[in-house]
Amino acid sequence: MKSVVLSVAAFVSLVPYVAAVSEWGQCGGLNYSGSTTCDSGLSCVYFNDWYSQCLRVTTTASSSTRTSSSTRSSSTSTTSRSSSTTSRASSTSTTSTTSRASSSTTSSTPVATGFVKTDGQKFVLNGQRFNPVGSNAYWLAQLSTTALIQQALAEIAQAGTTVLRVWGWNDVTSPSGTYYQLWNGATPTINYGADGLQKFDTVVAAAKAAGIRLVVPLTNNWQDYGGMDRYITQIVGSGQPHSLFYTNTAIKTAFKNYVNVFVTRYKNEPTIFSWELANEPRCNGCNVSVVTEWAKEMSAYIKSIDSNHMVALGDEGFFNQPSSSSYPYQGGEGVDFTANMAISTLDYGTFHLYPIPWGVSSGYSTWGAQWINDHAAVQKSLNKPVIIEEYGVIASDRSSAYAAWWSAVETSGLAGDQYWQAATTASGSGYNDGYGISTTDSIFPALQAHFATLKART
């Protein structure tokens, strides 16, 4: 047997080079196959089973960091669901080694701990009042890089944001953008890949680092990004009634399958503020009991698999008062805000405010203030919090209308406020529908002041 002596340089040349991950980069998680080594001064911090991130972590004398090396494997699951817009599929199996920071570890970035709950008409976190103020950035997962997601969140945070509403669905029949479910006939496949759930992992981790919690609707009344009609078309056929989403057994089972995957993935993640059953659910011409019974069933289902997070309907807050002369009060869209608020497995109420599309073409500053007060009255009568989670008017009327609406939110005791929508330099103009508010808009300082007033409530 010959003795072989290698020079240091020759030995090093035989060692595979592993690129270190920079700050904020992913360093571990289910289906992750990249480097698990962070740059000098960074630690690979565990957020959930699917995402670990390189962060600067300092420890006190009494703190300890435990490192766990875990091998996990996963393959894409094919589930029978209904319709939702754009999705993709990928099936991978990986092993990840991650370093978890213990609860005694202090990070240089905010880390969400504890789950937000309700206490009467308010929200609480770790025994203290939590005031949800923020916006909507449905497009966040569609941004192409982690850096852009972080940039967008940094701009959104400047308003004093504590919560942000981000779409938790995208159903497609051919891969496009970031998608979570790819449909082939009546069979959907979950996309666990980098342009699927792993991308949403990135959104969650970036929101955690920014100190912002996420409100996540799980499907859409509208066809954007798939929505309810995708389920109907794929499972039952095109041109079928929208009401089937709420009543057809196969469709409800398919939706539950998707919900189970998405909710279970994040059920231990406190960065999620709440789950919403849908964005703006409607059932035009239906008896209001159709949506109410569906909301009971689906909210109870989510509670059965996730006891940590709150659940809301995500509706526009339409009332069921057929004798009213005002469309949003008449019940024609099959929604009864008061009846839905009474569902025990819905933790809080939501409503939206778009007077112009709803036929209120003038005097909408006053009309909107009354709309807010009417929902605040239900909050008080049922002793549950209510959030106005979307609202908008054209930019030229924004200053006067928003001043009246913000005053109504503050004086009525409404539990929270989320405007539609955040506009950022990271997202560009592609996602701005004319309602966007950026940090450079003239109304932004007034928005900051309004949020500061709400956040000061105890």
Side-chain angles (χ1 to χ4, degrees), residues 134-139 156 164-165 354 389-392 398 402 418-424 427 429-438 441 447:
S135 187
N136 293 256
Y138 69 91
W139 37 263
I156 292 168
L164 184 67
R165 194 160 169 258
Y354 294 104
E389 64 172 14
E390 284 192 30
Y391 55 88
R398 201 174 279 166
Y402 285 12
Q418 294 176 253
Y419 65 94
W420 182 277
Q421 61 166 314
T424 71
S427 57
S429 60
Y431 295 105
N432 192 344
D433 55 4
Y435 291 108
I437 298 178
S438 73
D441 285 339
L447 174 67

PDB file of all heavy atoms in Angstrom, residues 134-139 156 164-165 354 389-392 398 402 418-424 427 429-438 441 447:
ATOM      1  N   GLY A 134     -53.342  48.130   8.376  1.00  0.00           N
ATOM      2  CA  GLY A 134     -52.483  47.757   7.264  1.00  0.00           C
ATOM      3  C   GLY A 134     -53.162  47.886   5.927  1.00  0.00           C
ATOM      4  O   GLY A 134     -53.983  48.770   5.705  1.00  0.00           O
ATOM      5  N   SER A 135     -52.851  46.943   5.049  1.00  0.00           N
ATOM      6  CA  SER A 135     -53.272  47.079   3.664  1.00  0.00           C
ATOM      7  C   SER A 135     -53.464  45.720   3.021  1.00  0.00           C
ATOM      8  O   SER A 135     -53.571  44.693   3.699  1.00  0.00           O
ATOM      9  CB  SER A 135     -52.229  47.892   2.897  1.00  0.00           C
ATOM     10  OG  SER A 135     -52.667  48.185   1.584  1.00  0.00           O
ATOM     11  N   ASN A 136     -53.518  45.732   1.706  1.00  0.00           N
ATOM     12  CA  ASN A 136     -53.606  44.541   0.875  1.00  0.00           C
ATOM     13  C   ASN A 136     -52.464  44.582  -0.141  1.00  0.00           C
ATOM     14  O   ASN A 136     -52.188  45.634  -0.737  1.00  0.00           O
ATOM     15  CB  ASN A 136     -54.936  44.501   0.114  1.00  0.00           C
ATOM     16  CG  ASN A 136     -56.135  44.317   1.016  1.00  0.00           C
ATOM     17  OD1 ASN A 136     -56.701  43.237   1.092  1.00  0.00           O
ATOM     18  ND2 ASN A 136     -56.549  45.377   1.696  1.00  0.00           N
ATOM     19  N   ALA A 137     -51.798  43.451  -0.328  1.00  0.00           N
ATOM     20  CA  ALA A 137     -50.789  43.306  -1.375  1.00  0.00           C
ATOM     21  C   ALA A 137     -50.940  41.896  -1.935  1.00  0.00           C
ATOM     22  O   ALA A 137     -50.092  41.032  -1.735  1.00  0.00           O
ATOM     23  CB  ALA A 137     -49.390  43.545  -0.827  1.00  0.00           C
ATOM     24  N   TYR A 138     -52.056  41.685  -2.604  1.00  0.00           N
ATOM     25  CA  TYR A 138     -52.416  40.349  -3.077  1.00  0.00           C
ATOM     26  C   TYR A 138     -51.327  39.745  -3.948  1.00  0.00           C
ATOM     27  O   TYR A 138     -51.168  38.527  -4.034  1.00  0.00           O
ATOM     28  CB  TYR A 138     -53.731  40.411  -3.850  1.00  0.00           C
ATOM     29  CG  TYR A 138     -53.649  41.131  -5.176  1.00  0.00           C
ATOM     30  CD1 TYR A 138     -53.363  40.439  -6.346  1.00  0.00           C
ATOM     31  CD2 TYR A 138     -53.860  42.514  -5.262  1.00  0.00           C
ATOM     32  CE1 TYR A 138     -53.277  41.093  -7.566  1.00  0.00           C
ATOM     33  CE2 TYR A 138     -53.774  43.175  -6.471  1.00  0.00           C
ATOM     34  CZ  TYR A 138     -53.484  42.466  -7.619  1.00  0.00           C
ATOM     35  OH  TYR A 138     -53.384  43.116  -8.812  1.00  0.00           O
ATOM     36  N   TRP A 139     -50.528  40.587  -4.576  1.00  0.00           N
ATOM     37  CA  TRP A 139     -49.546  40.216  -5.577  1.00  0.00           C
ATOM     38  C   TRP A 139     -48.184  39.844  -5.001  1.00  0.00           C
ATOM     39  O   TRP A 139     -47.257  39.515  -5.746  1.00  0.00           O
ATOM     40  CB  TRP A 139     -49.337  41.409  -6.514  1.00  0.00           C
ATOM     41  CG  TRP A 139     -49.390  42.735  -5.805  1.00  0.00           C
ATOM     42  CD1 TRP A 139     -50.469  43.573  -5.715  1.00  0.00           C
ATOM     43  CD2 TRP A 139     -48.355  43.351  -5.028  1.00  0.00           C
ATOM     44  NE1 TRP A 139     -50.167  44.683  -4.952  1.00  0.00           N
ATOM     45  CE2 TRP A 139     -48.878  44.572  -4.513  1.00  0.00           C
ATOM     46  CE3 TRP A 139     -47.045  43.015  -4.713  1.00  0.00           C
ATOM     47  CZ2 TRP A 139     -48.129  45.437  -3.711  1.00  0.00           C
ATOM     48  CZ3 TRP A 139     -46.292  43.866  -3.907  1.00  0.00           C
ATOM     49  CH2 TRP A 139     -46.838  45.056  -3.419  1.00  0.00           C
ATOM     50  N   ILE A 156     -44.253  49.085   2.677  1.00  0.00           N
ATOM     51  CA  ILE A 156     -45.570  48.933   3.297  1.00  0.00           C
ATOM     52  C   ILE A 156     -45.489  49.169   4.804  1.00  0.00           C
ATOM     53  O   ILE A 156     -46.391  49.757   5.408  1.00  0.00           O
ATOM     54  CB  ILE A 156     -46.129  47.532   2.974  1.00  0.00           C
ATOM     55  CG1 ILE A 156     -46.453  47.423   1.488  1.00  0.00           C
ATOM     56  CG2 ILE A 156     -47.372  47.234   3.806  1.00  0.00           C
ATOM     57  CD1 ILE A 156     -46.727  46.008   1.015  1.00  0.00           C
ATOM     58  N   LEU A 164     -51.207  42.482   6.802  1.00  0.00           N
ATOM     59  CA  LEU A 164     -51.241  42.634   5.352  1.00  0.00           C
ATOM     60  C   LEU A 164     -51.992  41.452   4.764  1.00  0.00           C
ATOM     61  O   LEU A 164     -51.750  40.309   5.139  1.00  0.00           O
ATOM     62  CB  LEU A 164     -49.814  42.678   4.802  1.00  0.00           C
ATOM     63  CG  LEU A 164     -49.659  42.941   3.302  1.00  0.00           C
ATOM     64  CD1 LEU A 164     -50.101  44.361   2.955  1.00  0.00           C
ATOM     65  CD2 LEU A 164     -48.200  42.724   2.881  1.00  0.00           C
ATOM     66  N   ARG A 165     -52.882  41.735   3.836  1.00  0.00           N
ATOM     67  CA  ARG A 165     -53.709  40.689   3.233  1.00  0.00           C
ATOM     68  C   ARG A 165     -53.075  40.261   1.912  1.00  0.00           C
ATOM     69  O   ARG A 165     -52.851  41.084   1.017  1.00  0.00           O
ATOM     70  CB  ARG A 165     -55.118  41.241   3.027  1.00  0.00           C
ATOM     71  CG  ARG A 165     -56.199  40.228   2.714  1.00  0.00           C
ATOM     72  CD  ARG A 165     -57.562  40.835   3.033  1.00  0.00           C
ATOM     73  NE  ARG A 165     -58.660  40.040   2.529  1.00  0.00           N
ATOM     74  CZ  ARG A 165     -59.341  40.322   1.429  1.00  0.00           C
ATOM     75  NH1 ARG A 165     -59.022  41.393   0.703  1.00  0.00           N
ATOM     76  NH2 ARG A 165     -60.347  39.563   1.041  1.00  0.00           N
ATOM     77  N   TYR A 354     -66.687  50.173  -1.348  1.00  0.00           N
ATOM     78  CA  TYR A 354     -66.472  50.712  -2.689  1.00  0.00           C
ATOM     79  C   TYR A 354     -67.767  51.359  -3.175  1.00  0.00           C
ATOM     80  O   TYR A 354     -68.506  50.771  -3.973  1.00  0.00           O
ATOM     81  CB  TYR A 354     -66.040  49.602  -3.656  1.00  0.00           C
ATOM     82  CG  TYR A 354     -64.703  49.007  -3.334  1.00  0.00           C
ATOM     83  CD1 TYR A 354     -64.608  47.750  -2.736  1.00  0.00           C
ATOM     84  CD2 TYR A 354     -63.526  49.694  -3.630  1.00  0.00           C
ATOM     85  CE1 TYR A 354     -63.379  47.191  -2.431  1.00  0.00           C
ATOM     86  CE2 TYR A 354     -62.286  49.139  -3.326  1.00  0.00           C
ATOM     87  CZ  TYR A 354     -62.217  47.893  -2.728  1.00  0.00           C
ATOM     88  OH  TYR A 354     -60.993  47.353  -2.432  1.00  0.00           O
ATOM     89  N   GLU A 389     -61.506  45.816   5.699  1.00  0.00           N
ATOM     90  CA  GLU A 389     -60.263  45.296   5.155  1.00  0.00           C
ATOM     91  C   GLU A 389     -60.010  45.665   3.702  1.00  0.00           C
ATOM     92  O   GLU A 389     -58.960  45.311   3.155  1.00  0.00           O
ATOM     93  CB  GLU A 389     -60.204  43.783   5.326  1.00  0.00           C
ATOM     94  CG  GLU A 389     -61.266  43.028   4.572  1.00  0.00           C
ATOM     95  CD  GLU A 389     -61.045  41.518   4.614  1.00  0.00           C
ATOM     96  OE1 GLU A 389     -60.230  41.048   5.428  1.00  0.00           O
ATOM     97  OE2 GLU A 389     -61.698  40.823   3.824  1.00  0.00           O
ATOM     98  N   GLU A 390     -60.936  46.352   3.070  1.00  0.00           N
ATOM     99  CA  GLU A 390     -60.715  46.926   1.739  1.00  0.00           C
ATOM    100  C   GLU A 390     -61.587  48.164   1.626  1.00  0.00           C
ATOM    101  O   GLU A 390     -62.747  48.155   2.055  1.00  0.00           O
ATOM    102  CB  GLU A 390     -61.142  45.962   0.616  1.00  0.00           C
ATOM    103  CG  GLU A 390     -60.210  44.812   0.328  1.00  0.00           C
ATOM    104  CD  GLU A 390     -60.596  44.106  -0.983  1.00  0.00           C
ATOM    105  OE1 GLU A 390     -61.135  44.794  -1.893  1.00  0.00           O
ATOM    106  OE2 GLU A 390     -60.382  42.900  -1.090  1.00  0.00           O
ATOM    107  N   TYR A 391     -61.040  49.216   1.042  1.00  0.00           N
ATOM    108  CA  TYR A 391     -61.858  50.375   0.687  1.00  0.00           C
ATOM    109  C   TYR A 391     -61.111  51.219  -0.333  1.00  0.00           C
ATOM    110  O   TYR A 391     -59.881  51.209  -0.385  1.00  0.00           O
ATOM    111  CB  TYR A 391     -62.227  51.213   1.909  1.00  0.00           C
ATOM    112  CG  TYR A 391     -61.077  51.690   2.773  1.00  0.00           C
ATOM    113  CD1 TYR A 391     -60.415  52.888   2.516  1.00  0.00           C
ATOM    114  CD2 TYR A 391     -60.668  50.938   3.873  1.00  0.00           C
ATOM    115  CE1 TYR A 391     -59.381  53.331   3.327  1.00  0.00           C
ATOM    116  CE2 TYR A 391     -59.637  51.361   4.685  1.00  0.00           C
ATOM    117  CZ  TYR A 391     -58.987  52.560   4.410  1.00  0.00           C
ATOM    118  OH  TYR A 391     -57.953  52.985   5.222  1.00  0.00           O
ATOM    119  N   GLY A 392     -61.890  51.934  -1.169  1.00  0.00           N
ATOM    120  CA  GLY A 392     -61.241  52.768  -2.158  1.00  0.00           C
ATOM    121  C   GLY A 392     -62.202  53.660  -2.913  1.00  0.00           C
ATOM    122  O   GLY A 392     -63.364  53.317  -3.121  1.00  0.00           O
ATOM    123  N   ARG A 398     -60.051  61.141  -2.835  1.00  0.00           N
ATOM    124  CA  ARG A 398     -59.548  60.325  -1.747  1.00  0.00           C
ATOM    125  C   ARG A 398     -59.372  61.105  -0.447  1.00  0.00           C
ATOM    126  O   ARG A 398     -59.715  60.633   0.633  1.00  0.00           O
ATOM    127  CB  ARG A 398     -58.221  59.705  -2.182  1.00  0.00           C
ATOM    128  CG  ARG A 398     -57.818  58.488  -1.409  1.00  0.00           C
ATOM    129  CD  ARG A 398     -56.575  57.876  -2.012  1.00  0.00           C
ATOM    130  NE  ARG A 398     -56.867  57.064  -3.166  1.00  0.00           N
ATOM    131  CZ  ARG A 398     -55.966  56.642  -4.032  1.00  0.00           C
ATOM    132  NH1 ARG A 398     -54.708  57.006  -3.891  1.00  0.00           N
ATOM    133  NH2 ARG A 398     -56.318  55.881  -5.052  1.00  0.00           N
ATOM    134  N   TYR A 402     -61.541  59.725   2.582  1.00  0.00           N
ATOM    135  CA  TYR A 402     -60.796  58.944   3.572  1.00  0.00           C
ATOM    136  C   TYR A 402     -60.771  59.642   4.928  1.00  0.00           C
ATOM    137  O   TYR A 402     -60.784  58.980   5.970  1.00  0.00           O
ATOM    138  CB  TYR A 402     -59.383  58.669   3.081  1.00  0.00           C
ATOM    139  CG  TYR A 402     -59.300  57.611   2.001  1.00  0.00           C
ATOM    140  CD1 TYR A 402     -60.440  57.141   1.353  1.00  0.00           C
ATOM    141  CD2 TYR A 402     -58.080  57.070   1.606  1.00  0.00           C
ATOM    142  CE1 TYR A 402     -60.373  56.187   0.362  1.00  0.00           C
ATOM    143  CE2 TYR A 402     -57.996  56.104   0.614  1.00  0.00           C
ATOM    144  CZ  TYR A 402     -59.142  55.671  -0.009  1.00  0.00           C
ATOM    145  OH  TYR A 402     -59.075  54.719  -0.993  1.00  0.00           O
ATOM    146  N   GLN A 418     -57.760  48.125   7.037  1.00  0.00           N
ATOM    147  CA  GLN A 418     -56.823  47.753   5.991  1.00  0.00           C
ATOM    148  C   GLN A 418     -57.278  48.378   4.677  1.00  0.00           C
ATOM    149  O   GLN A 418     -58.321  48.021   4.151  1.00  0.00           O
ATOM    150  CB  GLN A 418     -56.765  46.229   5.829  1.00  0.00           C
ATOM    151  CG  GLN A 418     -56.194  45.482   7.025  1.00  0.00           C
ATOM    152  CD  GLN A 418     -56.259  43.975   6.824  1.00  0.00           C
ATOM    153  OE1 GLN A 418     -57.066  43.296   7.442  1.00  0.00           O
ATOM    154  NE2 GLN A 418     -55.405  43.451   5.949  1.00  0.00           N
ATOM    155  N   TYR A 419     -56.502  49.320   4.155  1.00  0.00           N
ATOM    156  CA  TYR A 419     -56.890  49.996   2.914  1.00  0.00           C
ATOM    157  C   TYR A 419     -56.532  49.143   1.701  1.00  0.00           C
ATOM    158  O   TYR A 419     -55.657  48.294   1.738  1.00  0.00           O
ATOM    159  CB  TYR A 419     -56.222  51.372   2.819  1.00  0.00           C
ATOM    160  CG  TYR A 419     -54.711  51.334   2.705  1.00  0.00           C
ATOM    161  CD1 TYR A 419     -54.066  51.359   1.462  1.00  0.00           C
ATOM    162  CD2 TYR A 419     -53.916  51.289   3.851  1.00  0.00           C
ATOM    163  CE1 TYR A 419     -52.693  51.328   1.360  1.00  0.00           C
ATOM    164  CE2 TYR A 419     -52.527  51.267   3.757  1.00  0.00           C
ATOM    165  CZ  TYR A 419     -51.921  51.280   2.518  1.00  0.00           C
ATOM    166  OH  TYR A 419     -50.548  51.239   2.430  1.00  0.00           O
ATOM    167  N   TRP A 420     -57.240  49.375   0.611  1.00  0.00           N
ATOM    168  CA  TRP A 420     -56.904  48.781  -0.685  1.00  0.00           C
ATOM    169  C   TRP A 420     -56.349  49.894  -1.559  1.00  0.00           C
ATOM    170  O   TRP A 420     -57.040  50.877  -1.819  1.00  0.00           O
ATOM    171  CB  TRP A 420     -58.148  48.199  -1.352  1.00  0.00           C
ATOM    172  CG  TRP A 420     -57.828  47.540  -2.661  1.00  0.00           C
ATOM    173  CD1 TRP A 420     -57.695  48.145  -3.881  1.00  0.00           C
ATOM    174  CD2 TRP A 420     -57.582  46.148  -2.866  1.00  0.00           C
ATOM    175  NE1 TRP A 420     -57.387  47.224  -4.849  1.00  0.00           N
ATOM    176  CE2 TRP A 420     -57.310  45.980  -4.244  1.00  0.00           C
ATOM    177  CE3 TRP A 420     -57.550  45.021  -2.050  1.00  0.00           C
ATOM    178  CZ2 TRP A 420     -57.029  44.735  -4.809  1.00  0.00           C
ATOM    179  CZ3 TRP A 420     -57.283  43.802  -2.604  1.00  0.00           C
ATOM    180  CH2 TRP A 420     -57.017  43.657  -3.976  1.00  0.00           C
ATOM    181  N   GLN A 421     -55.128  49.685  -2.011  1.00  0.00           N
ATOM    182  CA  GLN A 421     -54.169  48.665  -1.698  1.00  0.00           C
ATOM    183  C   GLN A 421     -52.806  49.325  -1.586  1.00  0.00           C
ATOM    184  O   GLN A 421     -52.653  50.515  -1.893  1.00  0.00           O
ATOM    185  CB  GLN A 421     -54.142  47.607  -2.808  1.00  0.00           C
ATOM    186  CG  GLN A 421     -53.735  48.196  -4.172  1.00  0.00           C
ATOM    187  CD  GLN A 421     -53.383  47.140  -5.186  1.00  0.00           C
ATOM    188  OE1 GLN A 421     -52.645  46.193  -4.877  1.00  0.00           O
ATOM    189  NE2 GLN A 421     -53.874  47.304  -6.411  1.00  0.00           N
ATOM    190  N   ALA A 422     -51.790  48.580  -1.190  1.00  0.00           N
ATOM    191  CA  ALA A 422     -50.444  49.119  -1.112  1.00  0.00           C
ATOM    192  C   ALA A 422     -49.852  49.239  -2.516  1.00  0.00           C
ATOM    193  O   ALA A 422     -49.969  48.330  -3.325  1.00  0.00           O
ATOM    194  CB  ALA A 422     -49.569  48.224  -0.247  1.00  0.00           C
ATOM    195  N   ALA A 423     -49.218  50.376  -2.779  1.00  0.00           N
ATOM    196  CA  ALA A 423     -48.457  50.558  -4.021  1.00  0.00           C
ATOM    197  C   ALA A 423     -46.996  50.738  -3.635  1.00  0.00           C
ATOM    198  O   ALA A 423     -46.693  51.510  -2.730  1.00  0.00           O
ATOM    199  CB  ALA A 423     -48.965  51.771  -4.787  1.00  0.00           C
ATOM    200  N   THR A 424     -46.104  50.019  -4.288  1.00  0.00           N
ATOM    201  CA  THR A 424     -44.688  50.083  -3.944  1.00  0.00           C
ATOM    202  C   THR A 424     -43.832  50.198  -5.196  1.00  0.00           C
ATOM    203  O   THR A 424     -44.267  49.849  -6.295  1.00  0.00           O
ATOM    204  CB  THR A 424     -44.238  48.824  -3.162  1.00  0.00           C
ATOM    205  OG1 THR A 424     -44.222  47.701  -4.046  1.00  0.00           O
ATOM    206  CG2 THR A 424     -45.169  48.543  -1.987  1.00  0.00           C
ATOM    207  N   SER A 427     -43.268  46.648  -6.639  1.00  0.00           N
ATOM    208  CA  SER A 427     -44.321  46.037  -7.452  1.00  0.00           C
ATOM    209  C   SER A 427     -44.557  46.796  -8.747  1.00  0.00           C
ATOM    210  O   SER A 427     -45.204  46.281  -9.662  1.00  0.00           O
ATOM    211  CB  SER A 427     -45.625  45.956  -6.659  1.00  0.00           C
ATOM    212  OG  SER A 427     -46.028  47.233  -6.200  1.00  0.00           O
ATOM    213  N   SER A 429     -46.021  49.520 -11.518  1.00  0.00           N
ATOM    214  CA  SER A 429     -47.379  49.947 -11.849  1.00  0.00           C
ATOM    215  C   SER A 429     -48.275  48.794 -12.271  1.00  0.00           C
ATOM    216  O   SER A 429     -49.492  48.948 -12.383  1.00  0.00           O
ATOM    217  CB  SER A 429     -47.337  50.977 -12.984  1.00  0.00           C
ATOM    218  OG  SER A 429     -46.729  50.417 -14.148  1.00  0.00           O
ATOM    219  N   GLY A 430     -47.690  47.626 -12.479  1.00  0.00           N
ATOM    220  CA  GLY A 430     -48.455  46.507 -13.014  1.00  0.00           C
ATOM    221  C   GLY A 430     -49.577  46.042 -12.121  1.00  0.00           C
ATOM    222  O   GLY A 430     -50.570  45.506 -12.608  1.00  0.00           O
ATOM    223  N   TYR A 431     -49.426  46.196 -10.804  1.00  0.00           N
ATOM    224  CA  TYR A 431     -50.450  45.721  -9.885  1.00  0.00           C
ATOM    225  C   TYR A 431     -51.289  46.856  -9.309  1.00  0.00           C
ATOM    226  O   TYR A 431     -52.126  46.623  -8.450  1.00  0.00           O
ATOM    227  CB  TYR A 431     -49.791  44.943  -8.745  1.00  0.00           C
ATOM    228  CG  TYR A 431     -49.113  43.670  -9.200  1.00  0.00           C
ATOM    229  CD1 TYR A 431     -47.733  43.596  -9.284  1.00  0.00           C
ATOM    230  CD2 TYR A 431     -49.860  42.554  -9.567  1.00  0.00           C
ATOM    231  CE1 TYR A 431     -47.104  42.425  -9.714  1.00  0.00           C
ATOM    232  CE2 TYR A 431     -49.245  41.384  -9.998  1.00  0.00           C
ATOM    233  CZ  TYR A 431     -47.873  41.337 -10.065  1.00  0.00           C
ATOM    234  OH  TYR A 431     -47.258  40.188 -10.495  1.00  0.00           O
ATOM    235  N   ASN A 432     -51.056  48.088  -9.747  1.00  0.00           N
ATOM    236  CA  ASN A 432     -51.798  49.221  -9.215  1.00  0.00           C
ATOM    237  C   ASN A 432     -53.041  49.470 -10.055  1.00  0.00           C
ATOM    238  O   ASN A 432     -52.950  49.821 -11.228  1.00  0.00           O
ATOM    239  CB  ASN A 432     -50.921  50.473  -9.183  1.00  0.00           C
ATOM    240  CG  ASN A 432     -51.546  51.601  -8.376  1.00  0.00           C
ATOM    241  OD1 ASN A 432     -52.738  51.580  -8.080  1.00  0.00           O
ATOM    242  ND2 ASN A 432     -50.742  52.576  -8.028  1.00  0.00           N
ATOM    243  N   ASP A 433     -54.201  49.266  -9.455  1.00  0.00           N
ATOM    244  CA  ASP A 433     -55.464  49.403 -10.176  1.00  0.00           C
ATOM    245  C   ASP A 433     -56.059  50.801 -10.075  1.00  0.00           C
ATOM    246  O   ASP A 433     -57.221  51.010 -10.400  1.00  0.00           O
ATOM    247  CB  ASP A 433     -56.472  48.374  -9.655  1.00  0.00           C
ATOM    248  CG  ASP A 433     -56.659  48.463  -8.141  1.00  0.00           C
ATOM    249  OD1 ASP A 433     -56.076  49.368  -7.513  1.00  0.00           O
ATOM    250  OD2 ASP A 433     -57.384  47.610  -7.593  1.00  0.00           O
ATOM    251  N   GLY A 434     -55.285  51.761  -9.611  1.00  0.00           N
ATOM    252  CA  GLY A 434     -55.774  53.124  -9.460  1.00  0.00           C
ATOM    253  C   GLY A 434     -56.124  53.481  -8.036  1.00  0.00           C
ATOM    254  O   GLY A 434     -56.306  54.650  -7.707  1.00  0.00           O
ATOM    255  N   TYR A 435     -56.219  52.468  -7.165  1.00  0.00           N
ATOM    256  CA  TYR A 435     -56.517  52.716  -5.762  1.00  0.00           C
ATOM    257  C   TYR A 435     -55.262  52.728  -4.891  1.00  0.00           C
ATOM    258  O   TYR A 435     -55.323  52.993  -3.703  1.00  0.00           O
ATOM    259  CB  TYR A 435     -57.456  51.631  -5.217  1.00  0.00           C
ATOM    260  CG  TYR A 435     -58.864  51.673  -5.773  1.00  0.00           C
ATOM    261  CD1 TYR A 435     -59.307  50.696  -6.666  1.00  0.00           C
ATOM    262  CD2 TYR A 435     -59.752  52.673  -5.410  1.00  0.00           C
ATOM    263  CE1 TYR A 435     -60.598  50.709  -7.172  1.00  0.00           C
ATOM    264  CE2 TYR A 435     -61.046  52.707  -5.910  1.00  0.00           C
ATOM    265  CZ  TYR A 435     -61.464  51.721  -6.786  1.00  0.00           C
ATOM    266  OH  TYR A 435     -62.744  51.744  -7.288  1.00  0.00           O
ATOM    267  N   GLY A 436     -54.121  52.381  -5.460  1.00  0.00           N
ATOM    268  CA  GLY A 436     -52.912  52.198  -4.669  1.00  0.00           C
ATOM    269  C   GLY A 436     -52.440  53.456  -3.965  1.00  0.00           C
ATOM    270  O   GLY A 436     -52.542  54.573  -4.487  1.00  0.00           O
ATOM    271  N   ILE A 437     -51.909  53.285  -2.769  1.00  0.00           N
ATOM    272  CA  ILE A 437     -51.305  54.367  -2.003  1.00  0.00           C
ATOM    273  C   ILE A 437     -49.843  54.017  -1.773  1.00  0.00           C
ATOM    274  O   ILE A 437     -49.522  52.956  -1.236  1.00  0.00           O
ATOM    275  CB  ILE A 437     -52.006  54.573  -0.646  1.00  0.00           C
ATOM    276  CG1 ILE A 437     -53.468  54.975  -0.844  1.00  0.00           C
ATOM    277  CG2 ILE A 437     -51.285  55.636   0.185  1.00  0.00           C
ATOM    278  CD1 ILE A 437     -54.244  55.149   0.452  1.00  0.00           C
ATOM    279  N   SER A 438     -48.947  54.914  -2.183  1.00  0.00           N
ATOM    280  CA  SER A 438     -47.512  54.703  -2.000  1.00  0.00           C
ATOM    281  C   SER A 438     -46.990  55.660  -0.935  1.00  0.00           C
ATOM    282  O   SER A 438     -47.691  56.571  -0.488  1.00  0.00           O
ATOM    283  CB  SER A 438     -46.765  54.935  -3.315  1.00  0.00           C
ATOM    284  OG  SER A 438     -46.724  56.320  -3.620  1.00  0.00           O
ATOM    285  N   ASP A 441     -47.276  59.400  -1.924  1.00  0.00           N
ATOM    286  CA  ASP A 441     -48.561  60.042  -2.158  1.00  0.00           C
ATOM    287  C   ASP A 441     -48.835  61.097  -1.088  1.00  0.00           C
ATOM    288  O   ASP A 441     -48.465  60.928   0.082  1.00  0.00           O
ATOM    289  CB  ASP A 441     -49.687  59.012  -2.156  1.00  0.00           C
ATOM    290  CG  ASP A 441     -49.713  58.175  -3.423  1.00  0.00           C
ATOM    291  OD1 ASP A 441     -49.147  58.626  -4.437  1.00  0.00           O
ATOM    292  OD2 ASP A 441     -50.283  57.078  -3.403  1.00  0.00           O
ATOM    293  N   LEU A 447     -52.459  58.971   6.432  1.00  0.00           N
ATOM    294  CA  LEU A 447     -52.644  57.540   6.688  1.00  0.00           C
ATOM    295  C   LEU A 447     -51.796  57.097   7.877  1.00  0.00           C
ATOM    296  O   LEU A 447     -52.275  56.377   8.759  1.00  0.00           O
ATOM    297  CB  LEU A 447     -52.251  56.743   5.440  1.00  0.00           C
ATOM    298  CG  LEU A 447     -52.243  55.218   5.582  1.00  0.00           C
ATOM    299  CD1 LEU A 447     -53.652  54.682   5.783  1.00  0.00           C
ATOM    300  CD2 LEU A 447     -51.594  54.568   4.358  1.00  0.00           C
TER     301      LEU A 447
END
